[in-house]
């Protein structure tokens, strides 16, 4: 971890680099309103750091680039993310701004009972800019993973994304998760900003629900592709129904759809980030589009079956065995808490 202006050694090349804000999250010790919950346990959360923590736990080299306050929360974030095997050497410490934190209830985000209280305005991460972020650390990955959340934090953060996503020699493969969060945006042009950024990326992740909310798309996954023809790979997620990948190659456009798994859900937080990590992991390994989608679903299932943002991924051979199932066997899978341990697989969990 370096302070602003302090020189650092040339960064090592890694599989994936992610840039974004990570925050300390406080999870309730029981269900109920935030006003009624007496105690919370501390965790970490952040879309981009979630992705690289999951990738590192799955055996890939990964780096998180961010900005934290000179406080205990910032120190905890960096130490916790590093504990997954993520390189945090390019993280900057801001002596004048705090690390962001948030509190949430135990209720699922899809219910009216769900509450989240963010304390991130003016955070250290919102001060990220072209001038104070190490470009060499960001360009040293095979893949650079970004999200629309960073674009919403401040004009400086948006300018940084424009710089990173501009066409240039030596640019890594840019992965972009739209992550439309209307509550973060100060201006009404969020939809156009996110659309412009998505069109600059090589790999894009977006849900049909957020595409409809942001851009008014109608007509399902094909309508999203018509709006976003530029990305070489577009992954359109349909929640519990599945996900479709559109890939443009020298031989033309290929479309693959993989239905979602049946999962005994504990909490939905972090599932989208886990899906992106699974898809990127399989991409780095050169797997087929179908298997990239299946590994995305498997990583998402790991996150869905734990209460926090991050879940330990299944062992690679375990995930590969499940991803290789025929369509009928894949459709019979039912995954519940504890399924990621190979010794936990049962007939209900796997038909392999």
């Amino acid at each position: 971890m370096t302070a602003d202006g302090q020189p650092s050694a040339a960064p090592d090349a890694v599989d994936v680099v992610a840039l974004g804000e990570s925050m300390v999250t406080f999870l309730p010790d029981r269900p109920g309103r935030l006003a009624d919950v007496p105690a919370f346990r501390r965790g970490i959360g952040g879309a981009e750091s979630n992705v690289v923590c999951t990738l590192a736990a799955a055996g890939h080299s990964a780096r998180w680039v961010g900005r934290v306050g000179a406080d205990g929360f910032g120190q905890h974030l960096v130490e916790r993310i590093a504990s997954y095997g993520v390189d945090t050497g390019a993280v900057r410490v801001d002596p004048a701004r705090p690390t962001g934190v948030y509190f949430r209830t135990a209720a699922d985000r899809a219910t009216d009972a769900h509450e989240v209280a963010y304390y991130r305005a003016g955070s250290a991460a919102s001060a990220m800019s072209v001038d104070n972020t190490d470009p060499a650390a960001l360009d040293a990955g095979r893949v650079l993973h970004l999200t629309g959340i960073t674009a919403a934090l401040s004009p400086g953060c948006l300018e940084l994304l424009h710089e990173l996503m501009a066409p240039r020699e030596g640019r890594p493969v840019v992965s972009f998760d739209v992550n439309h969060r209307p509550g973060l945006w100060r201006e009404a042009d969020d939809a156009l900003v996110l659309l412009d950024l998505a069109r600059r990326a090589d790999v894009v992740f977006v849900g049909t629900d957020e595409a409809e909310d942001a851009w008014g798309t109608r007509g399902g996954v094909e309508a999203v592709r018509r709006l976003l023809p530029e990305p070489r790979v577009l992954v359109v997620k349909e929640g519990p129904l599945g996900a479709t990948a559109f890939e443009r190659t020298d031989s033309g456009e290929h479309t693959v759809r993989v239905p979602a798994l049946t999962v005994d859900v504990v909490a939905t937080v972090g599932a989208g980030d886990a899906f992106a990590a699974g898809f990127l992991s399989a991409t780095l390994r050169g797997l087929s589009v179908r298997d990239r989608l299946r590994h995305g679903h498997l990583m998402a299932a790991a996150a869905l079956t734990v209460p926090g943002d991050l879940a330990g991924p299944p062992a690679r051979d375990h995930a590969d065995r499940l991803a290789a199932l025929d369509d009928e066997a894949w459709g019979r899978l039912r995954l519940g808490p504890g399924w990621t341990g190979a010794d936990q697989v049962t007939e209900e969990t796997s038909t392999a």
Side-chain angles (χ1 to χ4, degrees), residues 36-48:
D36 301 326
V37 175
F40 297 80
R41 52 190 168 79
R42 184 179 62 178
I44 64 172
E48 300 85 0

Side-chain angles (χ1 to χ4, degrees), residues 14-19 46-65 81 84-88 143-145 273 277 280 310:
V14 293
D15 290 333
V16 179
V17 177
L19 167 85
E48 300 85 0
S49 58
N50 286 347
V51 169
V52 287
C53 284
T54 302
L55 283 165
H60 297 279
S61 56
R63 172 178 298 125
W64 174 58
V65 179
I81 292 170
Y84 283 84
V86 175
D87 175 8
T88 58
V143 174
L144 173 61
H145 182 69
D273 304 328
L280 292 175
L310 285 164

Side-chain angles (χ1 to χ4, degrees), residues 209-300:
D209 54 348
E210 61 183 342
E212 183 174 341
D213 289 344
W215 305 317
T217 56
R218 300 290 189 274
V221 297
E222 289 80 9
V224 181
R225 184 53 161 173
R226 287 194 294 271
L227 185 68
L228 282 171
E230 295 87 356
R232 182 175 54 80
V233 178
L234 173 66
V235 180
V236 186
K237 299 174 290 183
E238 298 180 272
L241 297 179
T244 299
F246 299 88
E247 182 179 44
R248 187 176 61 254
T249 68
D250 292 341
S251 61
E253 175 102 339
H254 304 277
T255 304
V256 178
R257 183 181 183 278
V258 171
L261 295 160
T262 300
V263 179
D264 297 329
V265 177
V266 173
T268 59
V269 179
D273 304 328
F275 183 97
F279 189 92
L280 292 175
S281 173
T283 299
L284 288 163
R285 297 171 58 203
L287 302 186
S288 68
V289 176
R290 187 205 72 163
D291 285 356
R292 287 179 239 166
L293 289 169
R294 285 192 170 190
H295 277 276
H297 285 312
L298 289 165
M299 288 288 200

Side-chain angles (χ1 to χ4, degrees), residues 97-133:
R97 297 175 179 86
T99 304
V101 300
Y102 72 98
F103 296 76
R104 68 173 175 84
T105 56
D108 190 280
R109 280 180 175 168
T111 71
D112 292 337
H114 179 71
E115 297 174 74
V116 180
Y118 287 104
Y119 299 90
R120 72 195 306 177
S123 69
S126 70
M128 290 188 297
S129 70
V130 173
D131 295 331
N132 63 24
T133 307

